[in-house]
Amino acid sequence: MFIRVTETEFSSEICFLDGINAKQSNDIQAKLLLLQSGQIQIKKHDVKNPCLWQVIGITALQLMSFLNEHYEAKIVAYSSNVQQVSQRDHQVPRGTTSWTLESLKI
């Protein structure tokens, strides 16, 4: 399974997670809340893309570290200063850094 973590320009404590369904997002949020202090929310970001989630209260690098440790997610691609976003990702802010991860356990 491929997922994407995208860092935003407007806040280091907000990132995006793309490629998971609602059940998977609930599982990830439950584990994050057990392991992290503070308030972490994973909420739907775009009704047209049911796999795109906004993650609040954690940086993209912290999220990737968590996904690597608990879901064996490995980085397989990296994109910096994204100027064009595909139609599927039209709600993800421009000018972001994005990592594609592959995981067999999510």
Side-chain angles (χ1 to χ4, degrees):
M1 161 180 260
F2 290 98
I3 55 174
R4 187 175 331 141
V5 174
T6 304
E7 191 173 54
T8 62
E9 287 183 321
F10 49 85
S11 173
S12 65
E13 292 285 309
I14 298 174
C15 56
F16 291 94
L17 182 58
D18 192 9
I20 61 171
N21 62 34
K23 183 180 178 193
Q24 292 163 330
S25 76
N26 288 337
D27 179 61
I28 290 170
Q29 182 168 347
K31 285 184 180 170
L32 276 169
L33 288 171
L34 284 174
L35 298 167
Q36 300 279 336
S37 60
Q39 193 68 10
I40 295 174
Q41 293 181 325
I42 299 179
K43 61 182 191 175
K44 179 135 348 257
H45 183 67
D46 179 9
V47 294
K48 295 178 185 170
N49 181 353
C51 297
L52 180 60
W53 304 85
Q54 186 177 42
V55 186
I56 301 166
I58 191 170
T59 68
L61 294 176
Q62 289 171 322
L63 179 59
M64 286 191 298
S65 176
F66 166 82
L67 292 170
N68 175 263
E69 185 176 339
H70 296 277
Y71 296 96
E72 296 181 14
K74 307 285 184 214
I75 297 171
V76 293
Y78 165 80
S79 179
S80 181
N81 293 325
V82 179
Q83 294 303 316
Q84 293 183 344
V85 288
S86 67
Q87 184 175 359
R88 179 171 174 245
D89 299 329
H90 68 279
Q91 291 296 321
V92 175
R94 294 174 185 264
T96 58
T97 302
S98 185
W99 296 267
T100 302
L101 297 90
E102 182 177 19
S103 173
L104 301 175
K105 293 196 167 193
I106 291 183

